[in-house]
Amino acid sequence: MSLLKVVGLDKSYHSNFRVLTDINFEVDTGEFVSIIGPSGAGKSTLLRCINRMVEVNEGKILFGDLDVGNLSKKALRKLRTNIGMIFQHYNLVPRLTVIENVLHGRFGYKTTLQGILGKFTEKEKEHAFFLLEKLGISDHAYKRCDQLSGGQQQRVGIARALIQEPKLVLCDEPIASLDPNSSKVIMDHLKAITSELNITCLVNLHQVDVAINYSDRIIGLNQGEIVFDGPSQMLTEGR
Ligand code: ADP
Ligand code: ADP
């Protein structure tokens, strides 16, 4: 059974303007899939439909055996812990430390921030350190996030997304605010850590070269429609 199955998805924000039209695809556990397309193609909207930050107009999204469009409150919580999010602008809490930001990911962003470290067990803190070590930033664990470079902040963003032990991570333009060197560091880490932990990855990118370098498979979106879906080397051969 596929991990994610999208069937006949249509999405409009306004009644007569379709942002996504008849989207169909399946993703298997362990795949690293890039979604590429120009700005406005509908990439962010597609990710937001998958974790139900927005509602679809038509079609079905299945995450394992969960029907994303038809969930109890409890099942929606389960969906959100099983799907991690990584954002272009990191979305960290600037005045909190690295370790606090990572642990905060366990709460699903819904708790007060006072004394956050005290709310976690040693085991949970060790888990956060394990991820920070993997990502090469455990030395910065007690620095405030606003003292870090963009590339370091995005590594914190990755650790925060992974602390819930999700099955899937959705990455919305994770390197769009970074220079080429930091972009490479981030993509290398994202690929290595998700493959080691067997986490499936869906990554929105607008750089075709990066998508070809890192992904097993590429989905091309243009004006809300899938215009390509296949192994990344098929795009290299066409060049
Ligand atoms: P991409 O991520 O590929 O840049 P988006 O999904 O952000 O594409 O946007 C696709 C289209 O949907 C764009 O025309 C955008 O202006 C529109 N759009 C995105 N979010 C909203 C929203 N919340 N309300 C109305 N229109 C939106
Ligand atoms: P990004 O560059 O990350 O795709 P955008 O600048 O397109 O972000 O969008 C930023 C925010 O504005 C998003 O939350 C998106 O949903 C919203 N948005 C984008 N386009 C529109 C639109 N045409 N109308 C209303 N909201 C929009």
Side-chain angles (χ1 to χ4, degrees):
M1 192 176 75
S2 51
L3 178 67
L4 177 69
K5 186 169 181 179
V6 177
V7 187
L9 188 163
D10 287 345
K11 170 67 189 169
S12 320
Y13 289 103
H14 308 292
S15 52
N16 52 5
F17 174 65
R18 278 236 190 108
V19 173
L20 293 171
T21 305
D22 195 24
I23 301 294
N24 295 280
F25 67 97
E26 289 184 39
V27 177
D28 286 331
T29 297
E31 273 193 289
F32 192 102
V33 182
S34 292
I35 301 174
I36 61 171
S39 184
K43 305 183 296 297
S44 299
T45 300
L46 179 56
L47 296 192
R48 286 187 210 133
C49 292
I50 293 170
N51 73 351
R52 202 155 156 199
M53 280 160 76
V54 299
E55 303 287 334
V56 309
N57 299 84
E58 288 291 336
K60 228 181 176 61
I61 299 175
L62 298 169
F63 180 74
D65 54 10
L66 292 181
D67 176 352
V68 172
N70 184 15
L71 296 174
S72 63
K73 269 195 170 160
K74 195 173 157 209
L76 185 60
R77 272 201 302 276
K78 185 175 166 205
L79 180 83
R80 296 263 165 84
T81 51
N82 277 320
I83 300 182
M85 284 290 293
I86 294 170
F87 305 92
Q88 174 178 353
H89 300 292
Y90 329 124
N91 295 19
L92 304 174
V93 185
R95 67 192 161 83
L96 291 185
T97 61
V98 166
I99 186 91
E100 287 170 331
N101 266 282
V102 174
L103 288 165
H104 191 217
R106 286 198 72 92
F107 283 134
Y109 315 99
K110 269 194 185 153
T111 189
T112 59
L113 301 172
Q114 285 296 320
I116 195 169
L117 273 184
K119 294 176 183 165
F120 293 95
T121 64
E122 284 308 311
K123 208 169 159 214
E124 286 166 329
K125 288 178 204 170
E126 276 167 27
H127 184 201
F129 262 99
F130 163 82
L131 293 171
L132 291 172
E133 266 165 27
K134 288 262 169 229
L135 294 162
I137 43 164
S138 54
D139 287 352
H140 300 302
Y142 293 101
K143 277 196 189 151
R144 275 172 58 140
C145 278
D146 53 11
Q147 294 172 346
L148 303 184
S149 70
Q152 291 169 331
Q153 291 193 47
Q154 192 56 298
R155 284 187 265 168
V156 181
I158 296 173
R160 183 192 49 193
L162 300 188
I163 192 128
Q164 307 188 91
E165 304 187 73
K167 296 193 170 79
L168 173 69
V169 280
L170 304 176
C171 314
D172 197 359
E173 299 277 2
I175 57 170
S177 303
L178 299 174
D179 62 58
N181 284 337
S182 308
S183 296
K184 183 175 182 316
V185 171
I186 290 302
M187 290 305 294
D188 286 345
H189 274 301
L190 186 62
K191 175 100 180 171
I193 198 166
T194 54
S195 125
E196 183 180 338
L197 303 175
N198 198 31
I199 296 169
T200 309
C201 230
L202 258 184
V203 189
N204 283 355
L205 291 167
H206 59 263
Q207 309 92 323
V208 184
D209 293 0
V210 177
I212 289 173
N213 271 338
Y214 287 92
S215 33
D216 311 319
R217 169 178 161 204
I218 294 178
I219 294 176
L221 263 190
N222 196 16
Q223 296 185 356
E225 294 188 49
I226 293 185
V227 292
F228 177 87
D229 183 354
S232 352
Q233 65 264 29
M234 268 175 74
L235 283 183
T236 349
E237 284 157 11
R239 295 180 150 211

